[in-house]
Amino acid sequence: MTAPAHTHAVTISLRDADAAGVLFFARYFALAHDAYEAFLDARGLSTGVILRERGYLLPVVHAEADYRAPLWVGDHAKIHVHVEEVRRRRFSMRFDLCGPDGGVSCVVRTVHVAVDKETKRSAPLAEEVLRALREE
Amino acid sequence: MTAPAHTHAVTISLRDADAAGVLFFARYFALAHDAYEAFLDARGLSTGVILRERGYLLPVVHAEADYRAPLWVGDHAKIHVHVEEVRRRRFSMRFDLCGPDGGVSCVVRTVHVAVDKETKRSAPLAEEVLRALREE
Amino acid sequence: MTAPAHTHAVTISLRDADAAGVLFFARYFALAHDAYEAFLDARGLSTGVILRERGYLLPVVHAEADYRAPLWVGDHAKIHVHVEEVRRRRFSMRFDLCGPDGGVSCVVRTVHVAVDKETKRSAPLAEEVLRALREE
Amino acid sequence: MTAPAHTHAVTISLRDADAAGVLFFARYFALAHDAYEAFLDARGLSTGVILRERGYLLPVVHAEADYRAPLWVGDHAKIHVHVEEVRRRRFSMRFDLCGPDGGVSCVVRTVHVAVDKETKRSAPLAEEVLRALREE
């Protein structure tokens, strides 16, 4: 068990619940991405800046989630963000979504690649991205 | 009662429900906007084309909804789209969201303005927008 | 200008943006509701507890928003929560969504009523709701 | 290549786009679930009926997506629904999300289990679920 690169706090809200009163399965991915954006932001790299000022995008090419226990509306949850692997043109993230008792409710994984905004082709990860991902 | 300019069919799905099993109040706006996009599309003006190929945007400057009866997960609903008012720089839409029995569940209203994509300033509505809105 | 009853911090994330890179109009309502839930939670009344343990619901019967300026992906925004009016069976909330410069980007208003969970009929606001709304 | 069990048509709308003008990665799961609900509905089993009248739930325990090409706002897409495997207590679905040119944009997979609504424990799939999944 390595320490998370970042921990993001979130309260499960009605907008993300399904009709059973628990977090809707697709929203785990949305919340994981919120945590990913907060992680990058904490390391000085805002999603907004990437979007508006940089020549690359970091689209998700694979995403998966394993659901172990529901998160309920009103739960104060924590999302522990881990950088799993960094290569020249892609990187993998893991997000452990934990309920109020600290137990892991769901593990989300995403794989991102770098793409040139103009050509839409694969590109090496920018230096600033490598730095943000690798920072201890 | 004038005839709607367009009618959009939608089934209330789990992704849009809240924990009480009914359509979450903010999603009425999202579904109304889906119906607005389908209405424009049916009149030859795709939201995608506006976004990627035109020099204007049509942001919402006011939105409101009056909720009369819930829509339930699984309900086959209809959204009747009305063009309420068209002026030089703005227009108003009304969306009647109706449940399976035909009764109005919610009335959504939106006011849109034209904005120049570059300058972000108010602009007259493009001819193609006026045509789409006014077509009988 | 009265002081807000609660202030909720939020970063505008990709999941809530539209294709122009700004907060999608319907998501202002979702974020306002997040702030409403955080406000109630801060006053000891969790949405989750209401849903699972109480005999009432507090559905929105009216919602409206006036949009003044866009919020951009990555913006650190604040939502100031105001209780506008409390009556026997309904109450009104106002949410001022403010951008990083402190200016108001959007004002959202919601009107809620109390409904008995079993009968689905209008009911007086529960004592705990009145206390939460009126607390100084 | 087996024929899909169901095909669900959807237009990519602004509510589901991200700031790059393409379908946000988490929304592929939401749209796949819409298609799953439409598939069950077409086979006589409405999600709403399950929620309100049955003693079981069918939560997702695993979900994954492989993204090959973006879907753009305004795209008329098709979701081909496949039942991949049916066992006593679980089943697997595959969703091929195809763009306007018919090419596969994304493959989503979900694994569902049956859970008793009261006890929250694993249960055998109900007969009506087996029938819906296996129907030719």
Side-chain angles (χ1 to χ4, degrees):
Chain A
M1 277 304 278
T2 53
H6 187 77
T7 293
H8 181 67
V10 63
T11 304
I12 307 307
S13 66
L14 260 193
R15 71 179 291 211
D16 290 328
D18 71 12
V22 299
L23 190 58
F24 183 56
F25 87 106
R27 299 286 156 59
Y28 285 84
F29 293 99
L31 294 187
H33 204 271
D34 281 358
Y36 161 75
E37 295 176 50
F39 154 69
L40 288 182
D41 200 21
R43 295 201 169 179
L45 192 57
S46 158
T47 310
V49 170
I50 295 177
L51 267 172
R52 291 184 297 270
E53 303 175 16
R54 297 299 190 261
Y56 62 88
L57 294 166
L58 300 169
V60 175
V61 292
H62 176 78
E64 61 180 81
D66 287 289
Y67 306 88
R68 300 182 191 171
L71 288 172
W72 295 85
V73 170
D75 276 358
H76 296 288
K78 283 203 162 55
I79 305 178
H80 300 296
V81 180
H82 296 265
V83 182
E84 290 223 306
E85 190 186 25
V86 181
R87 290 160 69 174
R88 214 172 95 81
R89 294 167 177 271
R90 62 169 56 210
F91 59 96
S92 306
M93 306 289 301
R94 191 184 87 236
F95 306 90
D96 297 340
L97 290 90
C98 298
D101 64 355
V104 176
S105 162
C106 180
V107 177
V108 171
R109 283 187 170 83
T110 55
V111 181
H112 303 247
V113 295
V115 169
D116 184 284
K117 215 183 261 181
E118 288 303 314
T119 65
K120 312 290 184 201
R121 289 179 171 282
S122 165
L125 290 169
E127 271 306 316
E128 66 182 2
V129 175
L130 290 172
R131 267 198 309 277
L133 294 173
R134 283 169 173 164
E135 186 185 308
E136 297 305 308
Chain B
M1 276 305 275
T2 53
H6 187 77
T7 292
H8 182 67
V10 63
T11 302
I12 306 308
S13 65
L14 262 192
R15 71 180 291 211
D16 290 328
D18 71 12
V22 299
L23 188 58
F24 184 55
F25 87 106
R27 301 283 157 63
Y28 286 83
F29 292 100
L31 294 188
H33 204 273
D34 280 358
Y36 161 75
E37 294 177 50
F39 154 69
L40 287 182
D41 201 19
R43 294 198 170 182
L45 194 56
S46 157
T47 309
V49 170
I50 296 177
L51 269 171
R52 292 184 297 270
E53 303 174 16
R54 297 298 190 261
Y56 62 88
L57 294 167
L58 301 170
V60 175
V61 292
H62 176 78
E64 61 179 82
D66 287 288
Y67 306 87
R68 300 183 190 168
L71 287 172
W72 295 85
V73 170
D75 277 359
H76 297 288
K78 283 203 161 55
I79 306 179
H80 299 297
V81 180
H82 297 264
V83 181
E84 289 222 306
E85 190 185 25
V86 182
R87 289 161 69 173
R88 213 173 98 79
R89 292 167 178 273
R90 63 167 56 209
F91 60 93
S92 305
M93 306 290 300
R94 191 183 87 234
F95 306 90
D96 297 339
L97 290 89
C98 297
D101 64 356
V104 176
S105 162
C106 180
V107 177
V108 171
R109 283 187 170 82
T110 56
V111 181
H112 303 248
V113 294
V115 168
D116 183 285
K117 215 181 260 180
E118 288 304 313
T119 65
K120 312 288 183 201
R121 289 179 172 281
S122 165
L125 292 169
E127 271 306 316
E128 66 182 2
V129 175
L130 289 172
R131 266 200 309 276
L133 295 173
R134 283 171 172 161
E135 185 185 309
E136 298 304 310
Chain C
M1 278 304 279
T2 53
H6 187 76
T7 293
H8 181 67
V10 64
T11 304
I12 307 306
S13 65
L14 262 193
R15 72 180 289 214
D16 290 329
D18 71 12
V22 299
L23 188 57
F24 184 56
F25 87 105
R27 302 282 155 61
Y28 286 83
F29 292 100
L31 294 187
H33 204 271
D34 281 357
Y36 160 76
E37 295 176 51
F39 153 71
L40 288 182
D41 200 21
R43 295 200 169 179
L45 193 56
S46 157
T47 311
V49 170
I50 296 177
L51 268 172
R52 291 184 296 270
E53 301 175 16
R54 297 299 189 261
Y56 62 88
L57 294 166
L58 300 170
V60 175
V61 292
H62 176 79
E64 61 179 81
D66 287 289
Y67 306 88
R68 299 182 193 172
L71 287 172
W72 295 85
V73 170
D75 277 359
H76 297 288
K78 283 203 163 54
I79 305 178
H80 300 296
V81 180
H82 296 266
V83 181
E84 289 224 306
E85 190 185 27
V86 181
R87 289 159 71 174
R88 215 172 95 80
R89 293 168 177 271
R90 63 167 56 207
F91 60 94
S92 306
M93 307 291 299
R94 191 183 89 237
F95 306 90
D96 297 339
L97 290 91
C98 298
D101 64 355
V104 176
S105 162
C106 181
V107 177
V108 171
R109 285 188 168 82
T110 54
V111 181
H112 303 246
V113 296
V115 168
D116 183 284
K117 214 181 265 182
E118 286 305 314
T119 65
K120 312 290 184 201
R121 290 178 172 283
S122 166
L125 291 169
E127 272 306 315
E128 65 181 2
V129 175
L130 289 172
R131 267 199 310 275
L133 295 172
R134 283 171 173 161
E135 184 187 308
E136 299 305 309
Chain D
M1 278 301 279
T2 53
H6 187 76
T7 293
H8 181 66
V10 64
T11 302
I12 306 306
S13 66
L14 263 191
R15 70 180 291 212
D16 290 328
D18 71 12
V22 300
L23 190 58
F24 184 56
F25 87 106
R27 300 285 155 61
Y28 286 83
F29 293 100
L31 294 188
H33 203 272
D34 281 357
Y36 161 75
E37 295 176 51
F39 153 70
L40 288 182
D41 201 19
R43 295 200 169 178
L45 192 58
S46 158
T47 310
V49 170
I50 295 177
L51 268 172
R52 292 184 297 271
E53 302 175 17
R54 297 298 190 262
Y56 63 89
L57 294 167
L58 301 170
V60 175
V61 292
H62 176 78
E64 62 180 81
D66 287 288
Y67 306 88
R68 300 183 191 170
L71 287 172
W72 296 85
V73 170
D75 276 358
H76 297 289
K78 283 204 163 52
I79 307 178
H80 299 297
V81 181
H82 296 265
V83 181
E84 291 222 306
E85 191 185 27
V86 182
R87 289 159 68 173
R88 214 172 96 81
R89 293 167 176 272
R90 62 169 54 211
F91 59 95
S92 305
M93 306 290 300
R94 190 182 91 234
F95 306 89
D96 297 339
L97 290 88
C98 298
D101 64 356
V104 176
S105 163
C106 180
V107 177
V108 171
R109 284 190 169 80
T110 54
V111 181
H112 303 248
V113 296
V115 168
D116 183 286
K117 214 181 263 179
E118 287 305 313
T119 65
K120 313 288 183 203
R121 289 178 171 283
S122 166
L125 291 169
E127 271 306 315
E128 64 182 2
V129 174
L130 290 172
R131 265 200 310 274
L133 294 173
R134 284 171 172 164
E135 185 186 310
E136 298 304 311

